[in-house]
Amino acid sequence: MTRAPTTPAASVSWVGDRYGFELRPGDSPTGWEVTDLVGVGLRQNPRRAHLLVSTVLGKHVPTDPRIVLAAGRLLGSLVGAAFGGRVVTVPEADLLRAALRGEPGSARQLLGSVPVAEPAPAGTVVLGYAETATGLGHAVAEALPGCYYLHSTRREVPGVSPAAAFEEEHSHATGHLLLPEEPAALGRPGPVVLVDDELSTGRTALNTIRVLHRLRPRARYVVAALVDLRGPGDRAALAAVAAELGTRIDVVSLSTGSVVLPADLPARVADDDGAAPLRRNTAAPARGTGAEVRTLSGWWPKGLREGGRHGYRGADRAALERQVGRLAERLRGATTGRVLVLGTEELLYAPLRLAVALAERSADEVRFSSTTRSPAIAVDEPGYPLRTRLAFPASDGPGERYAYNVAGAGFDTVVVVTDATDPGALVHALAGCCERLLVLPVPAYHPRPLPEPLRGPEFGSYPAEDVGWLLTDLSGVSLE
């Protein structure tokens, strides 16, 4: 079996040759070509059978984390340029390609070449889409100091009512919730920046803009994506919605292009998948008897917010900046050989920043990727970006979750950064993929901690948990 890719290779060759799929480059404001930025996989989804696999997102393909952070910050710089009318100096496309090939020093140079951030207009809100763009949205917000960041979520949080909800029509999991700790934050008067990894039709962005505009009409929206693949009809639809709402909607991206999609692709993929020629669920042989597993309990700094599910401000980002270097230094002493830092679903930004800090301190190769809800198809063929797939039961409800290109990738250490209360199924799935498996628990921030159930004393023949309903919480009552 060919080793699963740990550096991204943008290719449409296998899917293109088999199904007639084409990805055509368009204009590029950065000089980075769309074919540098995405490859094409397949997925089990009757709405859309193809999956654009990003080379710079660190979601499906383990990637140098400095490439991931550089791409996000550069996208944020382009948003800032759209606000200020300035010109952004973009790192050379050859430097990006060198970093993607893994040439020594190139990823660090790429990150260092991204323009310095400039303040956002007053009242700017940046919104990242779950699950793929939660970390990307954070990186865009880094380039817009002073903004308020929030990402959508597919996780219902007990005790927190959604401020808004919208649909992502083509997705495997369509529903998105907005759960800001301060609902008034969505009523800020400034522009809203919507961040996604790709813009295929723009319908999700338009759905979101309609919802947000009902909450508070505003003069400007910016849609920011790594790649923009909309057709003429999609662009006309966006212009029509802007005119209807009486607002301005701009779009910025690292590159543009177009997709030539066979009309019968979903049916043909379903037929192939059912007949098993795609050989989905490809997995590498276990590396020996299983990894040494260690849980790093108490390592995550107390009170450090892990992400933007309930909102994220400059002070939260500064707190992470103060802590992540010390955490990476401590982690460096616990890792050996080639390292993968693996985020989990919507938890992307904190693991990414940890991976960047570790890569800057380590002489060994460090890569970053994440688990996902998306049931893509793995095929062990050169020119196909998803070579292996691990499937495991979800920790937060029914269904499965997945990790791509981890099995068979030859990692010595895998560091799982997770906010799951019980990551046991993921740990079990990963145990045969490395020699050392480190689990870093990160407490998920809750804006209003749920009260502990009242407990009475043990008395008589009744256990305390059976008489709690008799008690009344008087903590909020003024007593004489």
Side-chain angles (χ1 to χ4, degrees), residues 83 117-126 138-150 185 188-191 193 312-318:
F83 285 142
E118 294 192 13
T124 297
V125 175
V126 177
H138 267 288
V140 168
E142 279 191 23
L144 300 168
C147 71
Y148 172 83
Y149 179 65
L150 177 72
R188 301 176 80 180
V193 181
Y312 206 81
R313 297 183 180 274
D316 301 309
R317 191 171 301 110

Side-chain angles (χ1 to χ4, degrees), residues 1 14 42-45 269-284 375-381 384 386-391 400 402 404:
M1 175 180 186
W14 193 86
L42 302 170
R43 61 181 183 175
Q44 302 157 262
N45 187 329
V269 170
D271 287 345
D272 279 358
D273 192 28
L278 293 183
R279 290 176 288 161
R280 65 184 177 89
N281 287 322
T282 305
I377 297 170
V379 184
D380 185 23
E381 291 286 349
Y384 187 80
L386 305 174
R387 303 292 288 278
T388 68
R389 179 176 99 161
L390 294 173
E400 287 186 321
Y402 310 94
Y404 295 95

